[in-house]
Amino acid sequence: AEANPTGEEIANALDTYLGGSSWRTGGGGSGDLLQASYYNAAQSAQIAAGSSANFNFDTVGHARSGVSYTLSGGEITINDTGTFYFFALAAVVSDTASTKAIVTTALQTDNSGSWAAMPGATAVLPDMNITATTAYQISYLPVFGTATFATSGKKVRILLSPVSGWAPIKTELGGWIQIWKQSSTYRGGGGTRAR
């Protein structure tokens, strides 16, 4: 098995497991629509322990035609209204030998006027024990969240905060986020019903 799969490798594995790629664009029957996918194409600079920085999503892998999403500094602006679901895999690496890194990871939005974590969307990445014979170690953490935006132009981000007294970290290749929009209808066994 692949020890450190990239986001695209994970997506391809889901294609195989689910028997197709319709889940990527909302064809799985729920009626919810995939709006955008972002991933990081390069490791970031070190984020010092006791400091914070956004996960460096820097590349769009999918965006729905006619829907405007912008990305800057790891912050994704959603120029749309409605209820949105977020599914992210935050991958971080520590390259400091013979120490550990512990990282608080929060999926945040400025929906209320200032940045705040989405309910239930804060987690702690497992500590990474680095030995002198291991150059670095990668840790992955899935993060989920939901938010309802009454006005467009709201932002989302993943804030990484290495715990003070431990090792610095970098964001790592393979991290990604998907944004889904709740549809007003979904298809179930009895036809189309309103949510």
Side-chain angles (χ1 to χ4, degrees), residues 12 19 23 25 44 59 101 106 115 122 124 142 144 152 168:
N12 290 337
W23 65 274
T25 54
S44 70
T59 305
W115 288 103
T122 299
V124 179
F144 305 88
S152 65

Side-chain angles (χ1 to χ4, degrees), residues 47-55 90-92 101-108 117-118 120-128 139 141-143 157-164 166-171:
I47 304 170
S51 183
S52 296
N54 295 339
F55 193 95
V92 302
I102 300 179
V103 188
T104 299
T105 306
L107 179 59
Q108 298 183 322
M118 295 182 194
T122 299
V124 179
L125 281 163
D127 64 314
M128 295 173 284
S139 186
L141 182 76
V143 183
R157 69 183 183 187
I158 293 181
L159 189 70
L160 300 175
S161 303
V163 176
S164 182
W166 300 84
I169 59 97
K170 299 178 180 180
T171 60

Side-chain angles (χ1 to χ4, degrees), residues 61-95:
H62 166 87
R64 284 183 60 83
S65 176
V67 180
S68 177
Y69 293 83
T70 55
L71 174 66
S72 178
E75 296 179 356
I76 302 168
T77 302
I78 300 175
N79 297 308
D80 199 359
T81 60
T83 298
F84 294 82
Y85 305 104
F86 305 91
F87 175 39
L89 187 71
V92 302
V93 61
S94 175
D95 57 5

Side-chain angles (χ1 to χ4, degrees), residues 9-21 23:
E9 286 170 339
I10 293 169
N12 290 337
L14 283 171
D15 289 347
T16 300
Y17 178 75
L18 296 173
S21 61
W23 65 274

